Amino acid sequence: MISDAELQEILNRCQNATPGPWVSFVEGRDHESGSSFIQTSGGDIELLGTSTADQDFIAHSRTDIPKLIEEIRRLKQLA
């Protein structure tokens, strides 16, 4: 079981990151030239040696993690 303190630590890491949403742009899928990158409000993040799935996962984690923590806390209150 994840403790409330652990949930808060995870949320703190997320909240300390560049604000979302983050958007994954993959060359050949989302645009035709340049490199693949994650667009954030603070600038672009280029990842080397990652798969498209890894890049999409990282980009979506910025908005997915807070949603998951909210749901976990809601479910814990019901228990």
Side-chain angles (χ1 to χ4, degrees):
M1 179 180 277
I2 298 175
S3 70
D4 291 338
E6 289 172 311
L7 280 176
Q8 190 58 51
E9 288 172 6
I10 293 167
L11 185 59
N12 288 346
R13 283 191 292 271
C14 191
Q15 290 173 334
N16 287 331
T18 301
W22 293 6
V23 181
S24 177
F25 288 96
V26 175
E27 182 180 10
R29 181 188 78 184
D30 305 308
H31 61 92
E32 295 303 318
S33 63
S35 59
S36 298
F37 63 95
I38 297 172
Q39 183 182 58
T40 75
S41 61
D44 295 341
I45 300 170
E46 289 194 54
L47 304 169
L48 302 175
T50 59
S51 68
T52 297
D54 289 344
Q55 180 173 316
D56 289 343
F57 174 79
I58 293 166
H60 283 89
S61 68
R62 184 61 184 88
T63 50
D64 290 348
I65 288 174
K67 289 178 188 177
L68 289 169
I69 290 174
E70 183 179 321
E71 181 65 7
I72 290 167
R73 286 181 171 164
R74 185 186 74 78
L75 292 171
K76 284 178 119 182
Q77 287 181 343
L78 296 175

Short mmCIF file of all heavy atoms in Angstrom, two decimals, residues 44-67:
data_model
loop_
_atom_site.label_atom_id
_atom_site.label_comp_id
_atom_site.label_asym_id
_atom_site.label_seq_id
_atom_site.Cartn_x
_atom_site.Cartn_y
_atom_site.Cartn_z
N ASP A 44 11.38 22.94 -24.97
CA ASP A 44 11.30 21.59 -25.53
C ASP A 44 12.30 20.67 -24.83
O ASP A 44 13.39 21.08 -24.45
CB ASP A 44 11.60 21.61 -27.02
CG ASP A 44 10.55 22.39 -27.81
OD1 ASP A 44 9.45 22.59 -27.29
OD2 ASP A 44 10.86 22.78 -28.95
N ILE A 45 11.90 19.40 -24.70
CA ILE A 45 12.77 18.37 -24.14
C ILE A 45 13.04 17.37 -25.27
O ILE A 45 12.11 16.79 -25.82
CB ILE A 45 12.09 17.63 -22.97
CG1 ILE A 45 11.73 18.60 -21.84
CG2 ILE A 45 12.97 16.50 -22.47
CD1 ILE A 45 10.86 17.98 -20.76
N GLU A 46 14.31 17.20 -25.62
CA GLU A 46 14.68 16.21 -26.62
C GLU A 46 15.25 15.00 -25.89
O GLU A 46 16.08 15.12 -25.00
CB GLU A 46 15.69 16.77 -27.60
CG GLU A 46 15.08 17.80 -28.53
CD GLU A 46 15.97 18.11 -29.71
OE1 GLU A 46 16.38 17.17 -30.42
OE2 GLU A 46 16.27 19.29 -29.90
N LEU A 47 14.77 13.83 -26.27
CA LEU A 47 15.21 12.58 -25.65
C LEU A 47 15.96 11.76 -26.69
O LEU A 47 15.49 11.59 -27.81
CB LEU A 47 14.01 11.80 -25.13
CG LEU A 47 13.11 12.55 -24.15
CD1 LEU A 47 11.82 11.78 -23.91
CD2 LEU A 47 13.84 12.76 -22.83
N LEU A 48 17.09 11.24 -26.30
CA LEU A 48 17.87 10.41 -27.21
C LEU A 48 17.75 8.95 -26.79
O LEU A 48 17.80 8.62 -25.61
CB LEU A 48 19.35 10.82 -27.18
CG LEU A 48 19.63 12.28 -27.56
CD1 LEU A 48 21.10 12.60 -27.38
CD2 LEU A 48 19.21 12.54 -29.00
N GLY A 49 17.57 8.08 -27.76
CA GLY A 49 17.55 6.66 -27.50
C GLY A 49 16.27 6.13 -26.88
O GLY A 49 16.25 5.04 -26.33
N THR A 50 15.19 6.89 -26.98
CA THR A 50 13.92 6.43 -26.43
C THR A 50 12.99 6.00 -27.55
O THR A 50 13.12 6.45 -28.69
CB THR A 50 13.21 7.54 -25.62
OG1 THR A 50 12.97 8.65 -26.48
CG2 THR A 50 14.04 8.00 -24.44
N SER A 51 12.07 5.16 -27.20
CA SER A 51 11.06 4.75 -28.17
C SER A 51 9.94 5.78 -28.19
O SER A 51 9.83 6.61 -27.28
CB SER A 51 10.50 3.38 -27.80
OG SER A 51 9.75 3.47 -26.60
N THR A 52 9.11 5.70 -29.20
CA THR A 52 7.93 6.58 -29.27
C THR A 52 7.05 6.34 -28.05
O THR A 52 6.54 7.29 -27.44
CB THR A 52 7.15 6.31 -30.57
OG1 THR A 52 7.99 6.64 -31.68
CG2 THR A 52 5.88 7.14 -30.64
N ALA A 53 6.88 5.08 -27.66
CA ALA A 53 6.05 4.76 -26.49
C ALA A 53 6.63 5.38 -25.23
O ALA A 53 5.88 5.90 -24.39
CB ALA A 53 5.92 3.26 -26.35
N ASP A 54 7.96 5.34 -25.06
CA ASP A 54 8.59 5.95 -23.89
C ASP A 54 8.35 7.46 -23.88
O ASP A 54 8.03 8.05 -22.84
CB ASP A 54 10.09 5.68 -23.87
CG ASP A 54 10.45 4.25 -23.57
OD1 ASP A 54 9.58 3.49 -23.08
OD2 ASP A 54 11.61 3.86 -23.82
N GLN A 55 8.54 8.09 -25.02
CA GLN A 55 8.36 9.54 -25.10
C GLN A 55 6.92 9.92 -24.79
O GLN A 55 6.67 10.87 -24.04
CB GLN A 55 8.76 10.06 -26.49
CG GLN A 55 8.60 11.56 -26.61
CD GLN A 55 9.13 12.11 -27.90
OE1 GLN A 55 10.22 11.74 -28.33
NE2 GLN A 55 8.39 13.01 -28.53
N ASP A 56 5.96 9.20 -25.36
CA ASP A 56 4.55 9.48 -25.08
C ASP A 56 4.23 9.28 -23.60
O ASP A 56 3.50 10.07 -23.00
CB ASP A 56 3.64 8.60 -25.94
CG ASP A 56 3.65 8.99 -27.41
OD1 ASP A 56 4.08 10.10 -27.75
OD2 ASP A 56 3.22 8.14 -28.22
N PHE A 57 4.79 8.22 -23.00
CA PHE A 57 4.57 7.96 -21.58
C PHE A 57 5.09 9.11 -20.72
O PHE A 57 4.40 9.60 -19.82
CB PHE A 57 5.26 6.65 -21.18
CG PHE A 57 5.21 6.36 -19.72
CD1 PHE A 57 4.06 5.84 -19.14
CD2 PHE A 57 6.31 6.60 -18.91
CE1 PHE A 57 4.00 5.58 -17.77
CE2 PHE A 57 6.26 6.34 -17.56
CZ PHE A 57 5.11 5.83 -16.99
N ILE A 58 6.31 9.55 -21.00
CA ILE A 58 6.90 10.65 -20.22
C ILE A 58 6.06 11.92 -20.36
O ILE A 58 5.77 12.60 -19.38
CB ILE A 58 8.36 10.89 -20.66
CG1 ILE A 58 9.23 9.69 -20.26
CG2 ILE A 58 8.91 12.18 -20.06
CD1 ILE A 58 10.59 9.66 -20.94
N ALA A 59 5.67 12.24 -21.59
CA ALA A 59 4.88 13.45 -21.82
C ALA A 59 3.54 13.39 -21.09
O ALA A 59 3.12 14.37 -20.46
CB ALA A 59 4.66 13.67 -23.31
N HIS A 60 2.86 12.26 -21.15
CA HIS A 60 1.55 12.14 -20.51
C HIS A 60 1.63 12.04 -18.99
O HIS A 60 0.65 12.35 -18.30
CB HIS A 60 0.80 10.94 -21.08
CG HIS A 60 0.22 11.21 -22.43
ND1 HIS A 60 0.92 10.97 -23.58
CD2 HIS A 60 -0.97 11.71 -22.79
CE1 HIS A 60 0.16 11.32 -24.61
NE2 HIS A 60 -0.98 11.77 -24.17
N SER A 61 2.78 11.65 -18.47
CA SER A 61 2.89 11.50 -17.02
C SER A 61 2.65 12.82 -16.29
O SER A 61 2.16 12.83 -15.16
CB SER A 61 4.26 10.93 -16.64
OG SER A 61 5.29 11.86 -16.90
N ARG A 62 2.94 13.93 -16.94
CA ARG A 62 2.78 15.24 -16.30
C ARG A 62 1.33 15.52 -15.93
O ARG A 62 1.04 16.18 -14.95
CB ARG A 62 3.34 16.36 -17.20
CG ARG A 62 3.30 17.75 -16.58
CD ARG A 62 4.16 17.75 -15.32
NE ARG A 62 4.11 18.99 -14.60
CZ ARG A 62 3.20 19.29 -13.66
NH1 ARG A 62 2.24 18.45 -13.36
NH2 ARG A 62 3.26 20.43 -13.02
N THR A 63 0.40 15.01 -16.71
CA THR A 63 -1.02 15.19 -16.39
C THR A 63 -1.65 13.93 -15.81
O THR A 63 -2.61 14.00 -15.05
CB THR A 63 -1.81 15.65 -17.63
OG1 THR A 63 -1.52 14.78 -18.73
CG2 THR A 63 -1.48 17.08 -18.00
N ASP A 64 -1.10 12.76 -16.14
CA ASP A 64 -1.66 11.51 -15.63
C ASP A 64 -1.42 11.33 -14.14
O ASP A 64 -2.30 10.87 -13.41
CB ASP A 64 -1.06 10.30 -16.37
CG ASP A 64 -1.52 10.19 -17.81
OD1 ASP A 64 -2.46 10.90 -18.21
OD2 ASP A 64 -0.91 9.40 -18.55
N ILE A 65 -0.22 11.67 -13.67
CA ILE A 65 0.12 11.43 -12.26
C ILE A 65 -0.81 12.18 -11.31
O ILE A 65 -1.34 11.58 -10.36
CB ILE A 65 1.60 11.73 -11.99
CG1 ILE A 65 2.45 10.63 -12.64
CG2 ILE A 65 1.89 11.83 -10.50
CD1 ILE A 65 3.94 10.88 -12.59
N PRO A 66 -1.05 13.48 -11.50
CA PRO A 66 -1.98 14.14 -10.58
C PRO A 66 -3.38 13.52 -10.58
O PRO A 66 -4.01 13.41 -9.53
CB PRO A 66 -2.02 15.59 -11.09
CG PRO A 66 -0.72 15.78 -11.79
CD PRO A 66 -0.42 14.44 -12.41
N LYS A 67 -3.85 13.08 -11.75
CA LYS A 67 -5.17 12.43 -11.82
C LYS A 67 -5.18 11.13 -11.04
O LYS A 67 -6.14 10.82 -10.33
CB LYS A 67 -5.55 12.16 -13.28
CG LYS A 67 -5.89 13.37 -14.08
CD LYS A 67 -6.19 12.96 -15.51
CE LYS A 67 -6.37 14.15 -16.42
NZ LYS A 67 -6.60 13.74 -17.81
#
